[in-house]
Amino acid sequence: MDAGPGAAPHPARGRPGAPSSATRAPGAPWARFSAWLECVCVVTFDLELGQALELVYPSDSRLTDKEVGPALWERTSPGEQALTRFPVFQKSSICYLSFPDSHSGPGRHHSFQREPAHYFGYVYFRQVKDSSVKRGYFQKSLVLVSRLPFVRLFQALLSLIAPEYFDKLVPCLEAVCSEIDQWPDPMPGQTLNLPVMGVVLQVHIPSRADKPESSPPKQCGHENLLPAPVVLSSVHELDLFRCFQPVLAHVQMLWELMLLGEPLVVLAPSPAVSSEMVLALTSCLQPLKFCCDYRPYFTVHDSEFKEFTTRTQAPPNVVLGVTNPFFIKTLQHWPHILRIGEPRMSGLYTAYTAHLHRDKALLRRLLKGLQRERPSDLLSALLRRHLLELTQSFIIPLVRPGEGGHGGAGAEAQAYPPPPTGALHGKPHAPAEEHHALEGVPHRTEKWGHMEGLKVLLSGKGHPRICPRRAPGLTWPLSQTPPQIRPFRQDDFLRSLEHSGPQLTCMLKGDWLGLYRRFFKSPHFDGWYRQRHKEMAQKLEALHLEAICEANIEIWMKDKSEVEVVDLVLKLRERLVRAQGHQLPVKEATLKRARLYIEMVVRSLPTDLQVVLCSP
């Protein structure tokens, strides 16, 4: 049996056991390779030891003993592959997750993942009859370990590499790694041509600026490439319709469970199916970031097996992908179980009652397209668009203004673009009475959305303390810190939903209020709010710096003490350091003006203070 490349993420806990690829200095050996891959591993099955790590390339990649554990993605038929996520870059994790799970333990092939603290593993498992082996089968996995969740890219790469590797072994692996070491860095927003083994893979690296559901930009100037590039429509998006086809009737309820961060077990016939289903589930909240833990392929050898199977405490907020029937009994106390691949048993087993009514029109369109044998990618685009609009309709009331006239430009609008006008009911947006979200702002009521009120202030509209050019007679409080953001008020928001809720952009009926109440208790609301709060605080600080640079420093300094002037210099320097480290969205012209202001202010001070402030 020959199983192929695959990818499924499994989150790793703790620090990697070796220096990360990011630690390789530019120009150092394997620096470009490390921008794409941590290493390539070969895992074999030893009759005495079980799974064993046979090879790690490049050879200077250092793994801890735990990192050599289980492999994460399996395929049960020729050419299949899978993906998984595992805690820490551990040898033991790689070994066990590189073979399929069964009643007795690992068995086939799969892959694993890493994000800021996790690795992705992409595994190609091969099992063929071999009379020279004691048990009569040759079993080995080729594993790509990467920081990047580029499932489609690494699947394609494994499909090219693995068959050649099993034929030519190490020389083939060395040649491929040397080719990857010549690839350009994966910079967001760029379209790249990646040559490997006589094939050119053309890929677009996704970025925040990409519009949802848009085609990747075409790269010019390579029309005469020989051979013609193999264009990957996406480096990370799966065939969503194929993944959800066995459970189409439950897609909307699954979206709710993911939105609320509910514990969910996916029981699948193989690591490949398990991996893809878990990845499909975690991707259905876009553009909302999935903030919970997830394991595309989880085995009995995982270090957190006891934690996840205990009945003494509630299951954690994790999406688990499993294949071993042993888990049917072990995890039966979990609140939501999704079984696929078994005609009589497939379905969603849960006591959860959906808050929203099922979209029957969508189901009819998908089933009709299936009957007419429409291309799977077309049906996937339809399903992905539906889930995208559903998520946007849910998030828009949190980030968009209550009244259309109060501008929706800026970071919020880019992160959550409104659904197409065809999805709207044509009703005018109703105003929501809200207070300013900043401390120290004159107390007056505006018709703004909850988070939008702050954004209008960030843009400088109507507030002279943020934009001094609108109030020339006002003395800018240069020595003060930026205004502070007030906490989000859930009760105020819930009261506003009657007039400015998701019903303005979504046709679905149901208990939206109840869904929001549960969402506020979920990890996804916490993650979303922390990120928005951080971005707003950074924007406020950036605007504060810009206002200082636009003010007349000389006039301000006339009646200020040396202590106040020195305090201004120190604060400006602190902001410069943060801005230069790309932690603040500040233009280069503003940074240049700030440096000149610092020099001018320092020169105005007594000599002894100049010496102190100018000392390294």
Side-chain angles (χ1 to χ4, degrees):
M1 184 190 324
D2 190 5
H10 160 85
R13 295 270 191 272
R15 296 182 180 180
S20 68
S21 62
T23 61
R24 295 182 188 264
W30 302 109
R32 288 192 172 186
F33 174 89
S34 296
W36 294 90
L37 293 172
E38 289 289 327
C39 63
V40 180
C41 301
V42 177
V43 180
T44 188
F45 182 79
D46 186 282
L47 194 58
E48 303 295 331
L49 303 176
Q51 291 94 319
L53 192 62
E54 181 179 281
L55 172 69
V56 178
Y57 198 88
S59 57
D60 64 347
S61 299
R62 290 176 289 170
L63 309 179
T64 66
D65 289 337
K66 289 184 178 180
E67 290 166 356
V68 185
L72 316 172
W73 193 346
E74 159 200 0
R75 289 275 180 149
T76 57
S77 59
E80 287 191 292
Q81 48 197 307
L83 165 85
T84 184
R85 296 176 68 193
F86 60 96
V88 186
F89 190 25
Q90 302 174 341
K91 294 179 180 178
S92 58
S93 298
I94 294 174
C95 290
Y96 286 123
L97 293 172
S98 297
F99 280 70
D101 199 7
S102 66
H103 286 283
S104 58
R108 294 178 189 135
H109 66 279
H110 34 268
S111 70
F112 46 88
Q113 154 207 349
R114 176 195 188 275
E115 293 164 326
H118 308 141
Y119 288 92
F120 287 89
Y122 305 84
V123 181
Y124 188 110
F125 172 72
R126 168 168 285 191
Q127 182 187 61
V128 294
K129 288 186 177 181
D130 187 343
S131 57
S132 65
V133 180
K134 191 171 182 179
R135 286 192 175 180
Y137 280 93
F138 166 92
Q139 298 182 91
K140 190 171 291 190
S141 290
L142 180 65
V143 185
L144 305 182
V145 182
S146 176
R147 299 171 175 276
L148 305 174
F150 293 169
V151 181
R152 294 274 296 277
L153 171 61
F154 290 117
Q155 282 182 348
L157 191 59
L158 271 174
S159 297
L160 293 171
I161 299 174
E164 288 293 314
Y165 165 74
F166 287 117
D167 182 39
K168 301 176 182 177
L169 302 179
V170 178
C172 169
L173 204 58
E174 292 176 343
V176 168
C177 290
S178 295
E179 283 189 290
I180 296 175
D181 194 39
Q182 303 302 313
W183 288 1
D185 288 343
M187 300 298 293
Q190 291 192 354
T191 300
L192 305 175
N193 291 297
L194 311 175
V196 60
M197 299 185 66
V199 176
V200 177
L201 300 176
Q202 187 173 101
V203 300
H204 174 72
I205 308 302
S207 72
R208 291 185 178 182
D210 293 341
K211 295 181 179 179
E213 294 300 305
S214 62
S215 301
K218 297 181 179 180
Q219 187 173 21
C220 303
H222 295 277
E223 293 82 359
N224 299 323
L225 275 177
L226 292 175
V230 176
V231 180
L232 299 183
S233 58
S234 171
V235 294
H236 65 290
E237 290 182 342
L238 296 171
D239 186 336
L240 209 58
F241 178 77
R242 179 174 58 81
C243 293
F244 282 132
Q245 185 175 345
V247 290
L248 273 182
H250 304 295
V251 165
Q252 198 160 294
M253 183 180 289
L254 289 169
W255 174 84
E256 285 192 26
L257 293 176
M258 293 301 100
L259 181 71
L260 302 177
E262 288 287 311
L264 176 72
V265 177
V266 175
L267 181 61
S270 73
V273 176
S274 164
S275 301
E276 291 192 345
M277 176 57 80
V278 172
L279 288 181
L281 288 169
T282 59
S283 70
C284 71
L285 296 184
Q286 293 179 356
L288 189 65
K289 181 180 179 181
F290 191 83
C291 297
C292 295
D293 195 358
Y294 63 101
R295 310 296 174 86
Y297 180 48
F298 185 79
T299 75
V300 296
H301 300 277
D302 194 283
S303 60
E304 292 169 305
F305 173 78
K306 290 184 178 179
E307 176 188 343
F308 290 171
T309 56
T310 181
R311 294 172 181 264
T312 60
Q313 60 187 27
N317 301 102
V318 182
V319 181
L320 284 185
V322 301
T323 60
N324 193 330
F326 170 75
F327 286 110
I328 296 177
K329 183 176 181 180
T330 308
L331 299 177
Q332 65 180 351
H333 63 291
W334 277 49
H336 319 290
I337 299 176
L338 181 65
R339 298 184 66 165
I340 51 179
E342 306 171 82
R344 294 185 179 181
M345 301 298 293
S346 292
L348 178 61
Y349 296 81
T350 177
Y352 176 83
T353 301
H355 290 79
L356 305 181
H357 299 167
R358 183 182 299 177
D359 191 336
K360 296 180 181 179
L362 172 71
L363 287 176
R364 284 196 296 268
R365 292 181 65 187
L366 291 173
L367 293 176
K368 191 173 183 180
L370 185 63
Q371 291 173 355
R372 294 183 175 181
E373 299 183 351
R374 300 295 189 193
S376 182
D377 57 349
L378 185 65
L379 298 176
S380 288
L382 177 62
L383 181 56
R384 182 173 287 109
R385 185 66 189 179
H386 168 77
L387 294 173
L388 173 69
E389 292 181 0
L390 188 57
T391 304
Q392 287 177 331
S393 293
F394 185 83
I395 294 297
I396 282 173
L398 292 166
V399 297
R400 297 285 290 176
E403 184 173 350
H406 281 282
E412 300 287 353
Q414 293 174 5
Y416 301 99
T421 54
L424 301 177
H425 288 192
K427 301 177 183 179
H429 286 302
E433 296 295 324
E434 295 302 328
H435 294 295
H436 288 294
L438 301 180
E439 300 286 357
V441 175
H443 193 73
R444 61 192 178 96
T445 302
E446 288 289 344
K447 297 176 180 179
W448 289 338
H450 292 264
M451 304 295 262
E452 189 67 19
L454 172 60
K455 194 178 69 183
V456 172
L457 291 179
L458 294 184
S459 68
K461 297 178 181 179
H463 189 6
R465 292 182 62 186
I466 295 296
C467 188
R469 287 172 294 180
R470 292 179 180 268
L474 180 69
T475 301
W476 170 254
L478 297 178
S479 58
Q480 293 185 9
T481 57
Q484 298 300 304
I485 303 172
R486 285 180 180 172
F488 177 79
R489 294 186 175 90
Q490 296 182 10
D491 291 339
D492 291 347
F493 170 78
L494 293 174
R495 281 193 294 269
S496 74
L497 288 179
E498 182 179 356
H499 301 291
S500 57
Q503 71 275 8
L504 297 178
T505 55
C506 183
M507 300 289 292
L508 293 181
K509 305 295 183 181
D511 183 14
W512 288 99
L513 192 67
L515 188 59
Y516 277 110
R517 289 188 188 279
R518 293 194 62 168
F519 174 69
F520 290 149
K521 301 176 183 178
S522 75
H524 291 121
F525 174 73
D526 182 68
W528 171 83
Y529 182 77
R530 288 177 184 273
Q531 180 62 28
R532 305 317 299 170
H533 191 281
K534 177 182 176 181
E535 292 175 0
M536 291 175 181
Q538 290 177 341
K539 182 64 175 176
L540 268 178
E541 197 171 345
L543 286 169
H544 186 233
L545 179 59
E546 290 178 10
I548 291 175
C549 293
E550 292 175 3
N552 191 323
I553 296 288
E554 294 178 341
I555 295 177
W556 177 85
M557 290 172 53
K558 286 182 179 180
D559 59 347
K560 297 299 181 293
S561 66
E562 291 179 356
V563 173
E564 291 178 292
V565 175
V566 170
D567 182 63
L568 174 64
V569 171
L570 296 177
K571 286 181 178 178
L572 277 175
R573 283 181 172 174
E574 180 185 351
R575 303 268 165 72
L576 278 176
V577 171
R578 286 168 51 76
Q580 289 168 345
H582 303 289
Q583 297 177 11
L584 297 179
V586 180
K587 298 177 182 178
E588 182 58 37
T590 300
L591 296 180
K592 184 177 180 180
R593 193 178 302 137
R595 296 187 194 101
L596 293 174
Y597 273 23
I598 291 174
E599 294 176 5
M600 181 181 69
V601 173
V602 170
R603 285 197 302 267
S604 70
L605 294 170
T607 305
D608 56 338
L609 281 178
Q610 290 187 37
V611 172
V612 173
L613 291 173
C614 293
S615 60

PDB file of all heavy atoms in Angstrom, residues 591-609:
ATOM      1  N   LEU A 591       8.447  59.754  11.417  1.00  0.00           N
ATOM      2  CA  LEU A 591       9.618  59.323  12.182  1.00  0.00           C
ATOM      3  C   LEU A 591      10.782  60.298  11.985  1.00  0.00           C
ATOM      4  O   LEU A 591      11.488  60.656  12.946  1.00  0.00           O
ATOM      5  CB  LEU A 591      10.042  57.916  11.751  1.00  0.00           C
ATOM      6  CG  LEU A 591       9.040  56.787  12.024  1.00  0.00           C
ATOM      7  CD1 LEU A 591       9.605  55.458  11.537  1.00  0.00           C
ATOM      8  CD2 LEU A 591       8.711  56.707  13.497  1.00  0.00           C
ATOM      9  N   LYS A 592      10.965  60.737  10.747  1.00  0.00           N
ATOM     10  CA  LYS A 592      12.044  61.678  10.471  1.00  0.00           C
ATOM     11  C   LYS A 592      11.818  62.994  11.208  1.00  0.00           C
ATOM     12  O   LYS A 592      12.752  63.573  11.800  1.00  0.00           O
ATOM     13  CB  LYS A 592      12.120  61.926   8.957  1.00  0.00           C
ATOM     14  CG  LYS A 592      13.279  62.817   8.537  1.00  0.00           C
ATOM     15  CD  LYS A 592      13.328  62.942   7.018  1.00  0.00           C
ATOM     16  CE  LYS A 592      14.489  63.836   6.588  1.00  0.00           C
ATOM     17  NZ  LYS A 592      14.545  63.971   5.102  1.00  0.00           N
ATOM     18  N   ARG A 593      10.557  63.479  11.209  1.00  0.00           N
ATOM     19  CA  ARG A 593      10.241  64.720  11.899  1.00  0.00           C
ATOM     20  C   ARG A 593      10.433  64.568  13.413  1.00  0.00           C
ATOM     21  O   ARG A 593      10.903  65.471  14.090  1.00  0.00           O
ATOM     22  CB  ARG A 593       8.799  65.120  11.589  1.00  0.00           C
ATOM     23  CG  ARG A 593       8.460  66.558  12.008  1.00  0.00           C
ATOM     24  CD  ARG A 593       7.038  66.897  11.632  1.00  0.00           C
ATOM     25  NE  ARG A 593       6.824  66.734  10.202  1.00  0.00           N
ATOM     26  CZ  ARG A 593       5.754  66.157   9.675  1.00  0.00           C
ATOM     27  NH1 ARG A 593       4.821  65.675  10.458  1.00  0.00           N
ATOM     28  NH2 ARG A 593       5.632  66.071   8.368  1.00  0.00           N
ATOM     29  N   ALA A 594      10.097  63.403  13.943  1.00  0.00           N
ATOM     30  CA  ALA A 594      10.266  63.159  15.382  1.00  0.00           C
ATOM     31  C   ALA A 594      11.739  63.204  15.772  1.00  0.00           C
ATOM     32  O   ALA A 594      12.106  63.738  16.823  1.00  0.00           O
ATOM     33  CB  ALA A 594       9.650  61.818  15.756  1.00  0.00           C
ATOM     34  N   ARG A 595      12.601  62.644  14.920  1.00  0.00           N
ATOM     35  CA  ARG A 595      14.050  62.684  15.216  1.00  0.00           C
ATOM     36  C   ARG A 595      14.553  64.120  15.237  1.00  0.00           C
ATOM     37  O   ARG A 595      15.355  64.500  16.097  1.00  0.00           O
ATOM     38  CB  ARG A 595      14.805  61.855  14.172  1.00  0.00           C
ATOM     39  CG  ARG A 595      14.478  60.366  14.182  1.00  0.00           C
ATOM     40  CD  ARG A 595      15.393  59.594  13.243  1.00  0.00           C
ATOM     41  NE  ARG A 595      14.885  58.258  12.996  1.00  0.00           N
ATOM     42  CZ  ARG A 595      14.231  57.889  11.900  1.00  0.00           C
ATOM     43  NH1 ARG A 595      14.014  58.792  10.924  1.00  0.00           N
ATOM     44  NH2 ARG A 595      13.786  56.659  11.755  1.00  0.00           N
ATOM     45  N   LEU A 596      14.085  64.924  14.269  1.00  0.00           N
ATOM     46  CA  LEU A 596      14.507  66.331  14.223  1.00  0.00           C
ATOM     47  C   LEU A 596      14.020  67.082  15.459  1.00  0.00           C
ATOM     48  O   LEU A 596      14.749  67.909  16.034  1.00  0.00           O
ATOM     49  CB  LEU A 596      13.975  66.990  12.954  1.00  0.00           C
ATOM     50  CG  LEU A 596      14.559  66.476  11.625  1.00  0.00           C
ATOM     51  CD1 LEU A 596      13.840  67.117  10.446  1.00  0.00           C
ATOM     52  CD2 LEU A 596      16.055  66.773  11.553  1.00  0.00           C
ATOM     53  N   TYR A 597      12.803  66.796  15.901  1.00  0.00           N
ATOM     54  CA  TYR A 597      12.253  67.443  17.097  1.00  0.00           C
ATOM     55  C   TYR A 597      13.072  67.089  18.329  1.00  0.00           C
ATOM     56  O   TYR A 597      13.345  67.935  19.184  1.00  0.00           O
ATOM     57  CB  TYR A 597      10.798  67.018  17.303  1.00  0.00           C
ATOM     58  CG  TYR A 597       9.801  67.868  16.551  1.00  0.00           C
ATOM     59  CD1 TYR A 597      10.177  68.596  15.414  1.00  0.00           C
ATOM     60  CD2 TYR A 597       8.475  67.965  16.971  1.00  0.00           C
ATOM     61  CE1 TYR A 597       9.268  69.371  14.731  1.00  0.00           C
ATOM     62  CE2 TYR A 597       7.555  68.747  16.283  1.00  0.00           C
ATOM     63  CZ  TYR A 597       7.962  69.451  15.153  1.00  0.00           C
ATOM     64  OH  TYR A 597       7.064  70.230  14.476  1.00  0.00           O
ATOM     65  N   ILE A 598      13.460  65.827  18.426  1.00  0.00           N
ATOM     66  CA  ILE A 598      14.264  65.395  19.576  1.00  0.00           C
ATOM     67  C   ILE A 598      15.589  66.145  19.604  1.00  0.00           C
ATOM     68  O   ILE A 598      16.025  66.647  20.653  1.00  0.00           O
ATOM     69  CB  ILE A 598      14.507  63.875  19.524  1.00  0.00           C
ATOM     70  CG1 ILE A 598      13.189  63.119  19.771  1.00  0.00           C
ATOM     71  CG2 ILE A 598      15.548  63.450  20.557  1.00  0.00           C
ATOM     72  CD1 ILE A 598      13.295  61.628  19.604  1.00  0.00           C
ATOM     73  N   GLU A 599      16.232  66.245  18.431  1.00  0.00           N
ATOM     74  CA  GLU A 599      17.515  66.964  18.360  1.00  0.00           C
ATOM     75  C   GLU A 599      17.334  68.426  18.741  1.00  0.00           C
ATOM     76  O   GLU A 599      18.148  68.993  19.488  1.00  0.00           O
ATOM     77  CB  GLU A 599      18.087  66.853  16.945  1.00  0.00           C
ATOM     78  CG  GLU A 599      18.495  65.441  16.552  1.00  0.00           C
ATOM     79  CD  GLU A 599      18.963  65.369  15.118  1.00  0.00           C
ATOM     80  OE1 GLU A 599      19.051  66.441  14.467  1.00  0.00           O
ATOM     81  OE2 GLU A 599      19.234  64.253  14.627  1.00  0.00           O
ATOM     82  N   MET A 600      16.251  69.057  18.250  1.00  0.00           N
ATOM     83  CA  MET A 600      16.017  70.461  18.538  1.00  0.00           C
ATOM     84  C   MET A 600      15.743  70.676  20.029  1.00  0.00           C
ATOM     85  O   MET A 600      16.271  71.605  20.644  1.00  0.00           O
ATOM     86  CB  MET A 600      14.820  70.965  17.719  1.00  0.00           C
ATOM     87  CG  MET A 600      14.488  72.453  17.936  1.00  0.00           C
ATOM     88  SD  MET A 600      13.062  72.979  16.967  1.00  0.00           S
ATOM     89  CE  MET A 600      11.764  72.074  17.824  1.00  0.00           C
ATOM     90  N   VAL A 601      14.930  69.805  20.627  1.00  0.00           N
ATOM     91  CA  VAL A 601      14.605  69.949  22.045  1.00  0.00           C
ATOM     92  C   VAL A 601      15.838  69.726  22.906  1.00  0.00           C
ATOM     93  O   VAL A 601      16.089  70.468  23.873  1.00  0.00           O
ATOM     94  CB  VAL A 601      13.482  68.960  22.429  1.00  0.00           C
ATOM     95  CG1 VAL A 601      13.257  68.971  23.940  1.00  0.00           C
ATOM     96  CG2 VAL A 601      12.193  69.308  21.710  1.00  0.00           C
ATOM     97  N   VAL A 602      16.645  68.729  22.559  1.00  0.00           N
ATOM     98  CA  VAL A 602      17.856  68.438  23.350  1.00  0.00           C
ATOM     99  C   VAL A 602      18.826  69.615  23.297  1.00  0.00           C
ATOM    100  O   VAL A 602      19.436  69.999  24.306  1.00  0.00           O
ATOM    101  CB  VAL A 602      18.528  67.144  22.849  1.00  0.00           C
ATOM    102  CG1 VAL A 602      19.909  66.973  23.497  1.00  0.00           C
ATOM    103  CG2 VAL A 602      17.650  65.935  23.142  1.00  0.00           C
ATOM    104  N   ARG A 603      18.947  70.249  22.121  1.00  0.00           N
ATOM    105  CA  ARG A 603      19.871  71.392  21.990  1.00  0.00           C
ATOM    106  C   ARG A 603      19.426  72.586  22.836  1.00  0.00           C
ATOM    107  O   ARG A 603      20.232  73.439  23.189  1.00  0.00           O
ATOM    108  CB  ARG A 603      19.987  71.809  20.528  1.00  0.00           C
ATOM    109  CG  ARG A 603      20.825  70.866  19.679  1.00  0.00           C
ATOM    110  CD  ARG A 603      21.235  71.540  18.371  1.00  0.00           C
ATOM    111  NE  ARG A 603      20.080  71.988  17.599  1.00  0.00           N
ATOM    112  CZ  ARG A 603      19.491  71.275  16.647  1.00  0.00           C
ATOM    113  NH1 ARG A 603      19.947  70.065  16.376  1.00  0.00           N
ATOM    114  NH2 ARG A 603      18.450  71.752  15.983  1.00  0.00           N
ATOM    115  N   SER A 604      18.132  72.644  23.141  1.00  0.00           N
ATOM    116  CA  SER A 604      17.628  73.777  23.927  1.00  0.00           C
ATOM    117  C   SER A 604      17.887  73.613  25.427  1.00  0.00           C
ATOM    118  O   SER A 604      17.689  74.553  26.201  1.00  0.00           O
ATOM    119  CB  SER A 604      16.118  73.931  23.696  1.00  0.00           C
ATOM    120  OG  SER A 604      15.410  72.858  24.291  1.00  0.00           O
ATOM    121  N   LEU A 605      18.336  72.447  25.839  1.00  0.00           N
ATOM    122  CA  LEU A 605      18.544  72.169  27.262  1.00  0.00           C
ATOM    123  C   LEU A 605      19.955  72.562  27.701  1.00  0.00           C
ATOM    124  O   LEU A 605      20.861  72.705  26.858  1.00  0.00           O
ATOM    125  CB  LEU A 605      18.306  70.691  27.538  1.00  0.00           C
ATOM    126  CG  LEU A 605      16.866  70.186  27.353  1.00  0.00           C
ATOM    127  CD1 LEU A 605      16.818  68.670  27.420  1.00  0.00           C
ATOM    128  CD2 LEU A 605      15.949  70.807  28.407  1.00  0.00           C
ATOM    129  N   PRO A 606      20.183  72.710  28.998  1.00  0.00           N
ATOM    130  CA  PRO A 606      21.531  72.987  29.511  1.00  0.00           C
ATOM    131  C   PRO A 606      22.519  71.897  29.092  1.00  0.00           C
ATOM    132  O   PRO A 606      22.136  70.755  28.838  1.00  0.00           O
ATOM    133  CB  PRO A 606      21.342  73.006  31.026  1.00  0.00           C
ATOM    134  CG  PRO A 606      19.893  73.358  31.219  1.00  0.00           C
ATOM    135  CD  PRO A 606      19.173  72.729  30.070  1.00  0.00           C
ATOM    136  N   THR A 607      23.787  72.263  29.058  1.00  0.00           N
ATOM    137  CA  THR A 607      24.825  71.352  28.570  1.00  0.00           C
ATOM    138  C   THR A 607      24.865  70.044  29.335  1.00  0.00           C
ATOM    139  O   THR A 607      25.026  68.963  28.747  1.00  0.00           O
ATOM    140  CB  THR A 607      26.211  72.029  28.653  1.00  0.00           C
ATOM    141  OG1 THR A 607      26.163  73.270  27.952  1.00  0.00           O
ATOM    142  CG2 THR A 607      27.271  71.136  28.030  1.00  0.00           C
ATOM    143  N   ASP A 608      24.720  70.122  30.683  1.00  0.00           N
ATOM    144  CA  ASP A 608      24.816  68.895  31.467  1.00  0.00           C
ATOM    145  C   ASP A 608      23.698  67.911  31.123  1.00  0.00           C
ATOM    146  O   ASP A 608      23.913  66.695  31.045  1.00  0.00           O
ATOM    147  CB  ASP A 608      24.793  69.211  32.963  1.00  0.00           C
ATOM    148  CG  ASP A 608      23.550  70.003  33.364  1.00  0.00           C
ATOM    149  OD1 ASP A 608      22.949  70.648  32.480  1.00  0.00           O
ATOM    150  OD2 ASP A 608      23.176  69.956  34.550  1.00  0.00           O
ATOM    151  N   LEU A 609      22.500  68.451  30.869  1.00  0.00           N
ATOM    152  CA  LEU A 609      21.402  67.561  30.478  1.00  0.00           C
ATOM    153  C   LEU A 609      21.603  67.012  29.064  1.00  0.00           C
ATOM    154  O   LEU A 609      21.247  65.865  28.774  1.00  0.00           O
ATOM    155  CB  LEU A 609      20.076  68.319  30.549  1.00  0.00           C
ATOM    156  CG  LEU A 609      19.471  68.493  31.942  1.00  0.00           C
ATOM    157  CD1 LEU A 609      18.192  69.313  31.871  1.00  0.00           C
ATOM    158  CD2 LEU A 609      19.168  67.136  32.569  1.00  0.00           C
TER     159      LEU A 609
END
